[in-house]
Amino acid sequence: MSNSNRSRRQVRLSRALGIALTPKAQRHFEKRPYGPGEHGRARRRSESDYAVRLKEKQRLRAQYGIREAQMRRAFADAKRRGGQTGDNLIAYLETRLDALVLRAGFARTIAQARQAVVHRHIMVDGRIVDRPSFHVKPGQVVHVKPASVTKDLFQVAAAGSHRDVLPEVPSYLDVALEKLRFELKETPKRDDVPIVCDVQLVVEYYSR
């Protein structure tokens, strides 16, 4: 899929889900804050409980850019752990390496963050990790590989150029952006994670 086609797809998905998934989608969403297609402006009939839960699950999955099979594995892991399943689910998703690379400001979108990982530009505790789904643990340090720091995409990131489109750095990260380095200080708590989601609806969807 070309970059332009991927971008258009993300804009349409953003409008359908009611959230901006990329900076470009945000601009389009501000101009056309309704669903895609010829009936996008029409008032929609009340959605069923199932439809509401399904949409919320889709919103969460889209924000992390993961497949349905990955989402189901995340939910299964969250359910096995003690405590609130919803909180566990968000912590599981948020400690993915690609998600934290985005939160730290090393990338502009989740797709760009995933690409940085897959292309072996990212190290965890001094070792290259090329799996976006790798789970970072509290105390671990993530940084751009020394041989990659001079690349334009990381120089742009180090200058703070992505901060205008990203939320504030969450409290669970200690980021030295100019050094392209961050540490996960603690397990992310739901209230601190910058996503749009009623996670209880997601739990209800998978628990049905």
Side-chain angles (χ1 to χ4, degrees):
M1 183 185 295
S2 69
N3 288 337
S4 61
N5 286 340
R6 185 181 296 109
S7 180
R8 284 195 294 270
R9 181 177 179 277
Q10 287 297 92
V11 170
R12 285 184 62 83
L13 182 59
S14 294
R15 286 163 50 205
L17 296 178
I19 53 175
L21 299 172
T22 65
K24 184 174 183 179
Q26 177 65 42
R27 293 193 296 272
H28 283 268
F29 192 72
E30 289 169 355
K31 294 177 182 177
R32 305 178 64 189
Y34 45 83
E38 60 179 316
H39 304 298
R41 294 177 187 266
R43 178 179 298 176
R44 297 187 176 184
R45 61 187 178 185
S46 296
E47 296 178 309
S48 67
D49 287 346
Y50 172 79
V52 169
R53 293 166 182 157
L54 172 63
K55 184 174 182 179
E56 202 65 19
K57 182 268 296 185
Q58 292 173 325
R59 281 158 62 105
L60 180 60
R61 189 163 69 84
Q63 288 173 86
Y64 286 99
I66 60 175
R67 299 185 303 275
E68 178 62 23
Q70 293 173 299
M71 189 71 169
R72 287 187 177 278
R73 283 197 296 271
F75 180 77
D77 181 272
K79 195 172 181 180
R80 282 195 299 267
R81 298 175 183 270
Q84 295 293 320
T85 300
D87 292 346
N88 293 342
L89 176 61
I90 298 302
Y92 182 98
L93 295 172
E94 188 64 13
T95 52
R96 285 173 54 100
L97 181 56
D98 55 355
L100 294 177
V101 165
L102 175 65
R103 299 285 182 249
F106 291 8
R108 199 171 181 85
T109 65
I110 190 67
Q112 194 179 81
R114 181 172 298 112
Q115 189 175 50
V117 176
V118 170
H119 289 180
R120 300 175 62 82
H121 296 307
I122 304 298
M123 307 183 80
V124 179
D125 287 346
R127 299 182 63 179
I128 292 175
V129 177
D130 59 5
R131 288 189 299 109
S133 62
F134 176 88
H135 284 279
V136 181
K137 297 180 177 61
Q140 289 190 308
V141 174
V142 179
H143 60 93
V144 173
K145 182 174 66 176
S148 299
V149 296
T150 57
K151 292 184 176 295
D152 288 345
L153 71 161
F154 294 121
Q155 287 296 298
V156 167
S161 298
H162 301 327
R163 292 262 51 98
D164 61 324
V165 297
L166 296 175
E168 290 186 11
V169 176
S171 60
Y172 43 86
L173 290 182
D174 181 10
V175 179
L177 192 55
E178 69 284 357
K179 296 180 181 178
L180 294 170
R181 171 195 178 282
F182 69 85
E183 178 185 347
L184 179 62
K185 297 193 297 182
E186 60 187 7
T187 300
K189 297 180 175 61
R190 170 63 190 99
D191 290 344
D192 299 327
V193 177
I195 57 167
V196 178
C197 179
D198 183 338
V199 69
Q200 182 55 36
L201 293 178
V202 180
V203 172
E204 291 172 5
Y205 173 83
Y206 283 114
S207 299
R208 70 191 191 283

